[in-house]
Amino acid sequence: DKVEPAAQQEHGAEDGVPRRHENTADWFHVPSWQRAPLPLRTAPDHSRHWMVLTDGLGVGGALARRLREGGARVTEVAASDAWTDDGDGRFTVDPASGADHDRLLAALADGPDGVPTRIVHCWSVTAPVRADRSDPDTALRLGFESLVRLTTSLSRHADGEPRRFWVLSNGLHCVTGDEVLDPAKATLLGPCRVMSRELPDTACRSVDIDCGPAPDPRLVDRLAAELASEPAPGTETVAHRGPHRWVQHFLPHPLPPARTVPGARRDRVHLITGGTGGLGLALAEHLASDGARIVLTSRTGLPPAEEWGAWLDAGTGDRRTTEIVHRLKRLRDRGAQLLVVRADVTDRDAMRAVVDEAVRRWGGVHTVFHAAGLAGGGLIQLKDLREAAEVLRPKVRGTLVLEEVLADQDLDHLVLFGSNGANIGSAGQVDYCAANCFLDAFAQDRGRRSRVVAVDWGAWKDVGMSVTTALPSSVEHSRRLRVERLGMSALEGLRALDTVLAHSGEPQVVVSPADLSALFAEALAARPATVPARDPAAVPGGAAAGPAAPGPGAEAVIREVWQDLLGVERVGAQDSFFDLGGDSLIAIQLVGAVNARLGSRVTLGDLYEGLTVAHLAGVAAPPEPARDGDGPQDGADDALRERRENAQKRRRHQQRRRKARGQ
């Protein structure tokens, strides 16, 4: 459902689209924390089946005991290297093992209490460690990876019951300024913020706590009150510090335009990672002045600088490489001193060599712009963690490598290029969201001691991932229109960067021409998106007559939804969703629309298991239970089990198809 017009106006939206601030001083926001009272209710819903993923400090165990004392059915799950079932409602699983999570949920589904509907995830509550001793791989395994695996497994057991998550952590947020932080834990915010965008009847709240070696009974009391208040749809980020509860929000941070380009002097050396991408090149051109010194790194190689002229004259290169070389040569001809190096930002030795060469040539490095990154994509329940790791690496490991190799440099700024999509929790972007949440947390931590700033960008019009990421043709046109209306030109964005560096002392700044509150409201309203309803009486078996029976009636309704969303005139019963131009974001809309029209409880997993109208029609209205004397439903149950067991194999097949097609 969409936000009503009155609500759109309230949140700064016009005609359903967030308005664009013409005064650039209004483009800037910063995260802040506001005191909020504990929920009025003091007891969680003990009629539900709760699952608590217990931590080593005892917080989860204390909450599990509190829930049991109230009469709740509780399953406890500990993180380990192997699967075990103790037979008394206690299990251990490997947090990053999809097979272990599937086995756990299958065991619970077959048990007397069924699949849990209330999940308290405490695996990111760990003993505090110093920043230089933190283990990002462990933080990812216990947080991001486990949440993706758990959400995927739960989606295979969708039963229409609302599910609520509370994801507990410590050392994630800088609220008072005195916390010992582990920025890698912030990657768990990716699934926390995205799951409610993608999964119907799902909501999640991130709760960061400050705890010692053993849980304080007063903290357990406050957390029990937290569990009594169910998360609302949206991005709920909460922190408990001492006796107080805090909620994250974003404050306007008006800034006057910068009059000069900060650091654009002959004696300053700038390092840009991802330097030959569209954004990196635009930044290099912006920084260049007579004699500017700029180091650009890229994972792809270019012809040697001394051969650029001859290489361009030969005209043998591909279009993209030719454009890059042409722009670099033009920069050099204007007087800029360039060092272009092939180096992966996650390669410690390669990046150390880059810094050493800059020191040898020019005496040091003064400003670093970390713009390297990969676009993510895909629904949580279809996420391949190996592909997600490739999205996370440049921003997580790459940032840590930069910190290490630049430790002896006296930096004016370390600028991390993030995304406002991480704050909103953009659907279909769980890995990219997680990676950018790490940048924000890193800046919040290191920014207490040095000049580190994460800039969370809105969409750019002519550079960046919002332009280069491929989308199906059915949605590409609308995406381009939206970016043209709300996005920043390269010149506008780079001037905004100058403004942040010249005037803001905050470690994290959001830069968004679009009204920020409207963007949050819009994302929430899209949760489930539906197609405008047609007259049900005009469709045989339509919603006016209740859930449709399998066959032409249900197929007709579903076919209309597909046609509306995909912009296709005719859809056959056996046409493939992906072959017609569908993608993960359209899939979310499609499932919501089908359920609204048919009164069904179809899930995204159901769609991806069959990908055709005929298949979805059968799932939307399964056969009625057998009447007395008609025999048992064993055949139908066996068919359902077989369909569920084959789901993962089919999903992998579709992932390979989409990857081969570049989607």
Side-chain angles (χ1 to χ4, degrees):
D1 296 331
K2 295 183 183 289
V3 180
E4 294 299 322
Q8 292 171 354
Q9 294 294 337
E10 178 183 349
H11 290 288
E14 300 173 356
D15 300 326
V17 178
R19 73 164 180 260
R20 189 181 197 271
H21 293 296
E22 296 307 321
N23 183 354
T24 57
D26 297 327
W27 288 13
F28 307 99
H29 290 75
V30 293
S32 184
W33 294 89
Q34 184 175 22
R35 281 271 304 276
L38 282 168
L40 294 178
R41 291 179 57 197
T42 58
D45 185 351
H46 295 124
S47 68
R48 303 288 186 173
H49 179 192
W50 291 75
M51 181 165 69
V52 181
L53 285 72
T54 55
D55 58 284
L57 299 185
V59 174
L63 288 172
R65 287 191 297 273
R66 182 70 62 88
L67 290 166
R68 285 197 184 93
E69 290 168 358
R73 299 158 291 163
V74 182
T75 296
E76 292 187 44
V77 185
S80 180
D81 294 329
W83 158 270
T84 64
D85 177 358
D86 295 341
D88 59 351
R90 290 176 170 83
F91 300 83
T92 65
V93 302
D94 179 348
S97 168
D100 278 11
H101 285 87
D102 288 342
R103 192 173 180 182
L104 170 68
L105 269 295
L108 295 177
D110 292 338
D113 298 326
V115 177
T117 62
R118 302 296 181 269
I119 295 96
V120 185
H121 185 289
C122 302
W123 285 348
S124 293
V125 177
T126 60
V129 295
R130 285 187 0 216
D132 59 350
R133 295 184 181 179
S134 65
D135 180 2
D137 292 335
T138 297
L140 282 164
R141 177 172 170 264
L142 293 174
F144 173 81
E145 293 180 8
S146 72
L147 282 166
V148 170
R149 292 300 194 194
L150 177 60
T151 305
T152 301
S153 295
L154 282 168
S155 70
R156 296 183 186 131
H157 295 271
D159 51 13
E161 289 292 325
R163 289 207 164 84
R164 302 292 180 259
F165 286 73
W166 291 261
V167 179
L168 273 60
S169 60
N170 64 333
L172 195 162
H173 292 297
C174 183
V175 180
T176 67
D178 297 326
E179 297 92 342
V180 177
L181 299 183
D182 185 354
K185 288 185 178 182
T187 55
L188 66 81
L189 293 172
C192 282
R193 292 174 175 175
V194 173
M195 69 169 69
S196 65
R197 310 290 194 215
E198 296 184 1
L199 302 176
D201 295 324
T202 301
C204 180
R205 179 184 299 146
S206 167
V207 183
D208 195 52
I209 62 176
D210 188 9
C211 65
D216 185 325
R218 291 169 295 183
L219 173 63
V220 177
D221 290 340
R222 293 195 298 275
L223 292 178
E226 195 73 59
L227 301 185
S229 171
E230 294 199 348
T235 55
E236 287 198 324
T237 307
V238 171
H240 287 254
R241 297 291 185 267
H244 302 305
R245 180 179 188 262
W246 302 83
V247 176
Q248 189 183 58
H249 62 136
F250 290 85
L251 292 175
H253 183 43
L255 297 173
R259 296 183 180 276
T260 61
V261 179
R265 305 200 315 263
R266 292 177 61 93
D267 62 338
R268 311 316 277 169
V269 178
H270 310 288
L271 168 61
I272 305 173
T273 69
T276 61
L279 190 54
L281 286 170
L283 177 57
E285 292 165 346
H286 182 68
L287 292 169
S289 60
D290 184 24
R293 299 167 176 177
I294 303 174
V295 184
L296 303 113
T297 69
S298 171
R299 292 192 304 164
T300 57
L302 295 174
E306 61 272 15
E307 300 176 9
W308 285 350
W311 190 87
L312 288 171
D313 291 340
T316 57
D318 62 88
R319 185 172 65 179
R320 174 60 182 151
T321 304
T322 299
E323 178 190 356
I324 293 171
V325 173
H326 178 74
R327 292 174 69 175
L328 291 174
K329 182 176 180 299
R330 187 170 57 192
L331 265 180
R332 188 182 62 184
D333 293 345
R334 287 169 48 191
Q337 300 181 60
L338 301 180
L339 172 61
V340 184
V341 185
R342 183 175 184 176
D344 188 324
V345 71
T346 66
D347 185 332
R348 181 187 296 106
D349 293 338
M351 292 306 299
R352 192 181 299 280
V354 169
V355 174
D356 288 347
E357 178 62 17
V359 171
R360 186 188 69 79
R361 288 193 183 194
W362 299 317
V365 176
H366 303 102
T367 305
V368 178
F369 300 92
H370 184 21
L374 295 174
L379 297 171
I380 293 175
Q381 59 187 291
L382 303 175
K383 182 56 59 182
D384 184 328
L385 286 181
R386 291 169 297 184
E387 294 178 357
E390 292 304 305
V391 176
L392 289 159
R393 274 171 54 83
K395 293 184 181 290
V396 178
R397 179 170 174 77
T399 302
L400 296 174
V401 165
L402 285 173
E403 179 182 41
E404 182 177 343
V405 302
L406 293 163
D408 59 349
Q409 300 299 305
D410 184 16
L411 295 182
D412 297 333
H413 294 97
L414 170 57
V415 185
L416 308 175
F417 277 46
S419 170
N420 189 36
N423 304 312
I424 294 171
S426 299
Q429 294 287 319
V430 65
D431 42 12
Y432 190 64
C433 177
N436 286 290
C437 285
F438 168 82
L439 296 183
D440 294 337
F442 182 92
Q444 291 285 349
D445 181 36
R446 304 313 200 259
R448 296 181 292 186
R449 302 182 293 276
S450 57
R451 190 68 181 97
V452 180
V453 57
V455 183
D456 296 346
W457 296 105
W460 298 67
K461 288 183 179 180
D462 39 17
V463 293
M465 293 179 186
S466 63
V467 175
T468 58
T469 301
L471 290 178
S473 58
S474 56
V475 295
E476 174 64 23
H477 179 65
S478 60
R479 190 270 299 268
R480 288 302 307 160
L481 288 177
R482 180 181 177 84
V483 170
E484 283 298 322
R485 180 168 176 176
L486 299 177
M488 299 170 286
S489 68
L491 179 59
E492 288 175 327
L494 294 170
R495 285 178 174 172
L497 176 63
D498 295 342
T499 295
V500 170
L501 298 185
H503 298 304
S504 177
E506 295 294 322
Q508 179 186 350
V509 181
V510 178
V511 180
S512 174
D515 186 271
L516 199 59
S517 60
L519 291 177
F520 277 96
E522 181 185 54
L524 180 59
R527 245 196 101 243
T530 61
V531 175
R534 301 183 183 184
D535 181 5
V539 181
E555 287 189 8
V557 173
I558 295 172
R559 187 179 293 113
E560 288 180 354
V561 171
W562 284 42
Q563 290 169 175
D564 286 343
L565 282 172
L566 296 170
V568 178
E569 290 187 6
R570 292 183 59 84
V571 175
Q574 299 299 328
D575 288 344
S576 168
F577 175 71
F578 287 125
D579 290 343
L580 294 174
D583 71 344
S584 58
L585 301 185
I586 296 176
I588 297 170
Q589 296 176 303
L590 188 148
V591 167
V594 168
N595 288 336
R597 294 283 298 279
L598 295 178
S600 57
R601 288 183 172 178
V602 171
T603 69
L604 286 164
D606 292 327
L607 170 63
Y608 279 96
E609 285 167 17
L611 295 174
T612 66
V613 169
H615 168 80
L616 205 59
V619 175
E624 296 180 0
R627 295 171 295 181
D628 292 343
D630 286 348
Q633 284 294 104
D634 291 345
D637 291 343
D638 290 343
L640 180 61
R641 279 194 293 271
E642 183 179 357
R643 180 165 59 83
R644 294 296 186 188
E645 289 170 359
N646 289 332
Q648 188 173 12
K649 184 186 299 182
R650 292 172 179 170
R651 290 189 182 105
R652 288 175 179 170
H653 173 67
Q654 294 301 329
Q655 285 175 334
R656 289 193 294 270
R657 287 182 62 194
R658 286 181 291 145
K659 187 174 182 180
R661 290 162 47 195
Q663 288 187 337

